[in-house]
Amino acid sequence: MHSLRFGMYGDDVNQLEISCLLGVASFLAGFLGALSGLGGGVVIVPLLVLAFGVDIHYAMGASLVAVIATSSGAAAAFVREGLSNIRIGMFLEIAATLGAILGAVLASSTPTRLLAIVFGIVLLYSSGMSIRHKKPVAQNAPPDRVAELLHLNGTVCVDGRPVSYQTQRAPLGFGLMFGAGTLSGLLGIGSGAVKVLAMDEAMRIPFKVSTATSNFMIGVTAAASAGVFLSKGYIHPALAMPVTLGALAGSVLGAHFLSRAKVKTVRIIFAMVIAALGIEMIYNAFSGRLS
Amino acid sequence: MSNSQLIGQAPKSIGREVGKFLRAGVALSAALISLGGFAYLAHNGQTVLNYHRFLGVPAEVKSIPQIFRGVFHGSALAIIQCGILVLIAMPITRVLLSVAAFALERDWLYVVISGLVLTVLVYSLLWHVA
């Protein structure tokens, strides 16, 4: 396992060298994240912690900023297509932003080892979610009263014609989104996997809409924790600089190649990387290397 | 039910403007972060600094007034942090624009809902300043 730890650099690596290494690594994370559709944010913290020996709080701060950057960069592309449902996004963001503040406040009092274990579990879960079989959404359930009250139903273009959809179990989705927000603030990630779970599985929103809406939401949720992270000193500019620039460049380039690549292969490879990082995080927490 | 066909999707033209705005904001932020980064590495490139232990950050990059003061004094780290502030402002501005868009549509329910989200976001960003 320790072969992964290629860069536990000693005291002889200077800022210029470490910035270049961090920039390249974050570029790869952003590129693979965009290409696979999983987002690069979730691998940045384990990358910094395991390969570079960065303290987990600094790593979370840099990751959160990178998440906002990649989400806003990609959001521009999604909004143009008009796919995201802003009403669903806003309704769920009430829960997600409140959860994010709670998570960010909890982050400083949570022991590093526990953070690493929770992180490992989220990585394993994200990996599993990304390779699951996606069933087309069944639209035969009775309409949800809350969803109707809040006008959460909409239409989406499928093969050039508009298809309307009924949003279901809005309160459950709202609750799950509070959890997604808490994880986002606790770990400095976008927690896209939990957001997609809430919208796909609980609320039965069509995949195209849930993906675009989740991307819109990731940036807003991350912005809610950012103030807390900033005031606690988690966002170190010298560290966030190469990570954010690298991840942003990588995600823009990844999105550019998206239409041409064999997405399925990339997804499976990236899911395996995420799972390996999850196991490594948990292993390191139990072996006491992270404390 | 007649208007349920339209509900949910923002008008395309507004979406395009918001998209343009977001991209410009991200570009501005990346420029500021790069500028500060070059200045920082030019002076501190040879410094040995690891992030193995959490020691917080210098006061000049910890809160919004301090960051602006740092930028004014030409601090490289404060310039990077200012770029990061621009980045954080992007999703918040997007929510603000949504409040305005819902107000234009006279959808008061969603003016309140997105207004709530905006309140939470602004509170989170400013709570330590007060």
Side-chain angles (χ1 to χ4, degrees), chain A residues 81-96:
Chain A
E81 292 165 42
L83 284 176
S84 57
N85 186 322
I86 303 293
R87 282 189 175 81
I88 293 177
M90 282 299 168
F91 164 65
L92 296 175
E93 269 309 316
I94 296 175

Side-chain angles (χ1 to χ4, degrees), chain B residues 13-92:
Chain B
S13 57
I14 293 182
R16 205 174 299 133
E17 293 309 311
V18 172
K20 258 191 223 163
F21 174 82
L22 278 178
R23 253 183 308 173
V26 172
L28 171 68
S29 159
L32 281 170
I33 295 173
S34 307
L35 179 74
F38 278 121
Y40 175 75
L41 290 177
H43 287 285
N44 303 286
Q46 305 305 314
T47 313
V48 172
L49 173 67
N50 64 44
Y51 305 96
H52 295 343
R53 264 180 1 106
F54 181 71
L55 303 165
V57 293
E60 66 190 23
V61 295
K62 240 181 157 176
S63 78
I64 297 171
Q66 286 165 320
I67 292 167
F68 286 149
R69 222 170 294 145
V71 172
F72 195 71
H73 291 296
S75 153
L77 286 183
I79 294 172
I80 299 175
Q81 208 75 324
C82 186
I84 289 172
L85 275 185
V86 172
L87 210 49
I88 296 170
M90 284 302 104
I92 301 178

Side-chain angles (χ1 to χ4, degrees), chain A residues 9 11 13-16 19 52-55 57-58 65 68-69 72-73 75-76 79-87 90-91 93-94 97-98 101 105 149-155 165 216 219-220 223-224 226-228 230-241 244-245 248, chain B residues 1 4-5 7-10 12 15-16 18-19 22-23 26 30 33-34 37 40-41 44-58 61-62 67 77 80-81 84-85 87-88 90-92 94-95 98 102 105 107 109-110 113-114 116-117 120-121 123-125 127-128:
Chain A
Y9 51 94
D11 292 332
V13 180
N14 68 36
Q15 278 294 85
L16 187 60
S19 296
F52 290 89
V54 173
D55 172 85
H57 299 94
Y58 282 142
V65 177
I68 298 175
S72 298
V79 174
R80 258 199 322 251
E81 292 165 42
L83 284 176
S84 57
N85 186 322
I86 303 293
R87 282 189 175 81
M90 282 299 168
F91 164 65
E93 269 309 316
I94 296 175
T97 50
L98 288 174
I101 293 180
V105 169
L149 212 65
L150 292 169
H151 309 298
L152 296 180
N153 303 320
T155 53
Y165 56 88
F216 155 75
V220 177
V228 184
L230 203 63
S231 67
K232 288 191 173 179
Y234 292 1
I235 302 177
H236 196 304
L239 178 70
M241 180 256 299
T244 305
L245 292 178
L248 182 61
Chain B
M1 283 302 285
S4 71
Q5 301 295 311
I7 279 168
Q9 260 74 34
K12 280 228 165 71
R16 205 174 299 133
V18 172
L22 278 178
R23 253 183 308 173
V26 172
I33 295 173
S34 307
Y40 175 75
L41 290 177
N44 303 286
Q46 305 305 314
T47 313
V48 172
L49 173 67
N50 64 44
Y51 305 96
H52 295 343
R53 264 180 1 106
F54 181 71
L55 303 165
V57 293
V61 295
K62 240 181 157 176
I67 292 167
L77 286 183
I80 299 175
Q81 208 75 324
I84 289 172
L85 275 185
L87 210 49
I88 296 170
M90 284 302 104
I92 301 178
R94 195 154 176 219
V95 173
S98 299
F102 285 126
E105 286 180 37
D107 185 341
L109 174 64
Y110 272 87
I113 287 176
S114 37
L116 266 174
V117 175
V120 175
L121 288 172
Y123 169 78
S124 156
L125 197 60
W127 75 326
H128 54 277

